[in-house]
Amino acid sequence: MKFRFLLIFLLSSCASEFNRSIPKSSYTSNGFAYIYNEFDRVSKITSKKFKNEEMAIGHNRLKVGTLLKITNPKNNKFVILKVKKKTSYPEFYQILVTESVYYELELEESLPFVEIQEIKKNKSFIAEKAKTFEEEKKVVNKVPVTGVKIDNISKIKKIKKSKTINFSIIIAEFYSFESANFLKQRIIQEMPNFDNNKILVKKIKKNTFQLISGPYSAVNSLKNDYIILKRNGFEELDVKLNDKI
């Protein structure tokens, strides 16, 4: 593909590096979680079978056994799990999770946004985390049901849902503004159907510039542009939650 060759040229001649390439020891990614269901497996949307009653995750590139921390940035809840199976799922998503993980993280059905980070297999850390998790469960189990005020919880949820949320796609990251702007101009030339008004170069810090598309307030438009970029040779896209404090 013509545009894919452009990316190779940029990597070799512009001294640029694309955002979120996978280091051998530390993988990180932000994006949406794919919630497993059996119908999708039968329909061959996913390739491996999972049990929704189990806390389990799957990934389309990482090795089985890779230890990942999956966080819901909206409430800071997280789980630490090993990749159980290498599986396929729609390319827009960053990870597959079972319903048990979905409920544990309290993800929103329409916006299951997560942050993913690979962690080293530090046995003492894992043991301490497991101990803390069990202690937290004991505390929760001791809370009397009569003490839970459903009406107050409902009010809090409504306030949260009314908050404006938008996302951006981080296309690539560069050491210089010139390199980032060069790719921006080539996207405009090579992808005339892409909304050029969405693309901008943002300075993150000294010698760090991101080429970004957005913001997006609707997940469907975000998904469409994400897939367009993927199919034009951008393999390591990242999604940023703009309202995160």
Side-chain angles (χ1 to χ4, degrees):
M1 184 179 289
K2 181 178 179 182
F3 204 75
R4 194 179 297 274
F5 287 123
L6 167 64
L7 299 185
I8 296 172
F9 168 76
L10 284 167
L11 285 169
S12 60
S13 64
C14 296
S16 62
E17 64 174 20
F18 290 97
N19 189 42
R20 303 298 187 186
S21 59
I22 304 178
K24 291 183 179 180
S25 61
S26 183
Y27 169 82
T28 60
S29 182
N30 299 331
F32 293 90
Y34 181 81
I35 316 303
Y36 176 81
N37 68 76
E38 184 61 17
F39 177 79
D40 285 352
R41 187 190 67 82
V42 174
S43 303
K44 297 184 178 180
I45 295 174
T46 59
S47 57
K48 297 292 177 64
K49 183 179 179 64
F50 289 79
K51 294 181 180 179
N52 270 323
E53 63 271 20
E54 294 181 355
M55 296 279 288
I57 58 175
H59 203 274
N60 57 5
R61 285 181 296 162
L62 297 177
K63 293 180 180 180
V64 172
T66 302
L67 196 62
L68 298 177
K69 177 181 178 182
I70 303 101
T71 304
N72 178 354
K74 297 191 71 176
N75 58 19
N76 292 321
K77 289 182 176 291
F78 68 89
V79 295
I80 297 174
L81 296 168
K82 290 181 180 180
V83 174
K84 186 170 185 178
K85 297 178 182 180
K86 195 170 183 179
T87 181
S88 63
Y89 44 80
E91 60 183 334
F92 174 65
Y93 299 92
Q94 298 298 314
I95 195 168
L96 178 148
V97 304
T98 59
E99 287 183 356
S100 295
V101 176
Y102 163 77
Y103 287 119
E104 180 68 29
L105 295 178
E106 297 182 5
L107 296 172
E108 287 189 25
E109 184 176 359
S110 59
L111 294 170
F113 186 82
V114 294
E115 296 176 345
I116 307 165
Q117 180 183 9
E118 180 182 1
I119 61 175
K120 295 180 180 180
K121 296 180 180 180
N122 185 317
K123 293 183 179 180
S124 61
F125 171 78
I126 300 301
E128 183 61 30
K129 172 56 191 164
K131 179 182 177 182
T132 303
F133 181 70
E134 289 301 321
E135 289 176 351
E136 288 174 350
K137 285 175 64 177
K138 289 178 182 178
V139 172
V140 172
N141 291 334
K142 290 179 180 179
V143 176
V145 176
T146 54
V148 179
K149 297 182 179 180
I150 302 299
D151 56 337
N152 288 342
I153 293 174
S154 299
K155 290 178 181 179
I156 294 172
K157 286 185 177 179
K158 288 181 180 179
I159 293 172
K160 287 184 177 180
K161 287 185 178 181
S162 65
K163 187 176 181 180
T164 301
I165 299 174
N166 60 67
F167 302 87
S168 294
I169 301 172
I170 303 176
I171 300 173
E173 190 169 282
F174 297 87
Y175 292 114
S176 69
F177 172 83
E178 289 75 17
S179 295
N181 191 57
F182 176 79
L183 180 55
K184 174 185 175 181
Q185 297 307 318
R186 290 308 298 266
I187 290 175
I188 292 172
Q189 293 175 22
E190 301 286 342
M191 299 169 60
N193 294 328
F194 197 86
D195 188 353
N196 300 328
N197 294 323
K198 292 180 179 177
I199 306 175
L200 70 147
V201 177
K202 183 177 181 180
K203 183 177 181 180
I204 305 302
K205 57 184 179 181
K206 185 179 179 181
N207 297 328
T208 303
F209 297 84
Q210 289 182 344
L211 182 61
I212 295 174
S213 178
Y216 299 90
S217 56
V219 175
N220 284 339
S221 59
L222 167 67
K223 184 176 182 179
N224 290 338
D225 283 357
Y226 184 96
I227 292 174
I228 289 172
L229 289 166
K230 272 271 190 180
R231 293 178 180 175
N232 276 276
F234 292 93
E235 298 296 334
E236 302 301 334
L237 300 174
D238 213 348
V239 178
K240 177 184 177 183
L241 178 61
N242 292 327
D243 79 328
K244 184 182 178 183
I245 299 174

